[in-house]
Amino acid sequence: NSFTLINCPISLGLDAFANLTTEIKVYPNPVKSILFVSSKTKINSVSIYNLLGQETITYAVDAGESLIDVSNLSLGIYLVKTTSNDGLKTFKIIKE
C-alpha cells in the first residue's frame, strides 16, 4: 500500500464552512432567568421543551430578537426550538 496524492478542486478553508453556521443565537447558556433569542432574520416562534418532550413555554415572535422569561422553569436541561425565515433550529440549554 502506498499513499496517492489526490487533487481537490475546492479549497476547504474556514470560508468553505461559513454558510453552515446558524444565524440564530440563543444565550446565555446556562441561563438563570432571561433567555435571549436573536437572529439576522425574522423569528416566527420559540418553544421550550423538557427532555420528556413536553412543551413548557411557547412564544409567538414577529421580530429578530426576543426575551424569554424562564425563571419559572425547574433546574435542568431543555430544548429550545426556533422557527424563522432560516428554517427550524433546535438548541440545548441548561437552566440554573
Side-chain angles (χ1 to χ4, degrees):
N1 292 343
S2 63
F3 294 103
T4 305
L5 179 64
I6 299 173
N7 291 326
C8 184
I10 301 172
S11 172
L12 294 179
L14 292 176
D15 293 338
F17 298 99
N19 292 332
L20 298 178
T21 60
T22 179
E23 295 295 324
I24 299 173
K25 293 183 172 75
V26 176
Y27 60 95
N29 193 8
V31 62
K32 292 188 185 219
S33 59
I34 301 294
L35 183 68
F36 297 91
V37 180
S38 67
S39 175
K40 291 183 179 181
T41 61
K42 185 177 92 168
I43 300 169
N44 300 320
S45 68
V46 177
S47 299
I48 299 178
Y49 296 86
N50 63 21
L51 291 182
L52 297 175
Q54 299 165 327
E55 189 175 274
T56 58
I57 297 174
T58 298
Y59 280 99
V61 182
D62 191 19
E65 217 171 58
S66 180
L67 307 173
I68 300 171
D69 182 7
V70 295
S71 60
N72 293 334
L73 293 178
S74 301
L75 303 179
I77 299 173
Y78 293 87
L79 299 175
V80 179
K81 182 177 88 172
T82 62
T83 56
S84 72
N85 293 344
D86 289 337
L88 175 73
K89 305 278 191 233
T90 304
F91 302 88
K92 186 182 348 178
I93 62 164
I94 298 171
K95 168 67 168 75
E96 288 187 330

